[in-house]
Amino acid sequence: MIRAFIFDLDGVLTDTAEYHYRGWKRLADEEGIPFTREDNEHLRGVARRESLMLILKEREYPEEKIMKMMERKNNYYLAFIKEITPQDLLPGAKELLEEIHATGIKNALGSASKNVPDVIQRLGIRDLFDAIADGHSVERQKPAPDLFLHAANQLGLTSAECVVVEDAAAGIEAALSGGFRSVGLGPRERVGKADVILPNLDGVKLVGLLSSLEHSGH
Ligand code: B16
Ligand code: MG
């Protein structure tokens, strides 16, 4: 019995990847570190500190400098996301959230981002969620299942009763290791381990999604 959907934010409900890219790019340029759009693809769903570590590669810096770099990048990001409006919801996202909400199935958010409250407020979807798990909720980030387990706990549900919707390989890994069913959005090379694979949420209806999950053999 499916009682809840746990949605990732970036890459599922909205696309803030471009803003993350511009923030990291500005920091990297200032520090004289090479960083391309292709490099940025590897940061999909990866938390802030781990993202910086991937950018710095083998370069070593004192902890104080690392903290300052994370803060600088986040300040650039915060300036970019001031532009976010409900128009920035990805196609089909709000319709699906509303449909789920209306049937009494729960909606939760499970995102690695520490900027979730600001982003969902600007997108105008805050009231559609029954629980929120974000970058402040747990220590261990995806691919650990902790974030999604935290969301399920808040709803008083087990992982077997929840479906995770994710665009990142690390997010699908997290869902699998926590015993959640999953819907992967994007190419098979990235989300191939999900129970159901879709390009995105455009035109996705709850009945069709539940039926695909039922037939996925999980
Ligand atoms: P912040 P998600 C992730 O969001 C992004 O995909 C990732 O690029 C970002 O580094 C991470 O959030 C942390 O974001 O710097 O705002 O805390 O896909 O888990 O919704
Ligand atoms: Mg994501």
Side-chain angles (χ1 to χ4, degrees):
M1 181 74 180
I2 293 169
R3 297 189 192 277
F5 283 86
I6 304 174
F7 289 90
D8 174 52
L9 181 61
D10 182 23
V12 170
L13 301 177
T14 188
D15 205 356
T16 44
E18 177 65 20
Y19 298 137
H20 282 297
Y21 168 70
R22 288 190 215 164
W24 286 128
K25 179 66 180 157
R26 184 161 165 195
L27 178 84
D29 285 352
E30 287 165 355
E31 296 293 327
I33 298 169
F35 181 63
T36 64
R37 278 184 187 277
E38 203 198 329
D39 296 331
N40 191 59
E41 263 303 297
H42 300 292
L43 309 185
R44 187 180 283 270
V46 177
R48 198 180 305 168
R49 175 177 284 268
E50 285 70 33
S51 296
L52 179 59
M53 293 304 143
L54 290 176
I55 293 167
L56 297 180
K57 299 206 172 82
E58 69 288 347
R59 295 171 187 84
E60 284 189 24
Y61 294 91
E63 176 60 22
E64 198 186 325
K65 169 89 176 170
I66 287 173
M67 298 284 285
K68 288 229 165 79
M69 285 195 277
M70 287 196 292
E71 191 186 333
R72 251 159 73 206
K73 181 269 175 176
N74 195 51
N75 285 337
Y76 301 149
Y77 180 72
L78 288 176
F80 291 131
I81 64 171
K82 284 210 165 59
E83 313 278 315
I84 289 182
T85 72
Q87 303 280 347
D88 292 297
L89 278 161
L90 285 168
K94 188 158 191 197
E95 292 79 356
L96 183 61
L97 286 170
E98 284 175 341
E99 199 187 351
I100 292 170
H101 194 64
T103 60
I105 297 178
K106 306 285 185 202
N107 280 321
L109 199 80
S111 163
S113 175
K114 291 185 166 154
N115 293 301
V116 163
D118 201 0
V119 174
I120 61 172
Q121 179 69 37
R122 289 175 196 279
L123 290 171
I125 54 172
R126 182 185 281 254
D127 294 345
L128 292 169
F129 293 104
D130 302 288
I132 290 175
D134 67 14
H136 295 286
S137 303
V138 295
E139 290 256 321
R140 289 197 311 161
Q141 301 295 331
K142 306 168 193 176
D146 304 28
L147 189 71
F148 298 140
L149 290 170
H150 183 79
N153 280 341
Q154 281 182 66
L155 297 170
L157 299 175
T158 65
S159 50
E161 295 171 307
C162 306
V163 178
V164 166
V165 187
E166 257 287 350
D167 69 310
I172 300 296
E173 289 289 348
L176 272 172
S177 71
F180 294 89
R181 272 168 285 181
S182 60
V183 177
L185 305 183
R188 198 165 278 274
E189 308 86 73
R190 199 171 76 208
V191 294
K193 290 187 183 166
D195 296 294
V196 171
I197 300 167
L198 299 169
N200 50 54
L201 293 180
D202 197 6
V204 173
K205 297 271 175 290
L206 180 59
V207 181
L209 192 54
L210 291 174
S211 156
S212 301
L213 283 159
E214 201 180 309
H215 294 108
S216 69
H218 181 97

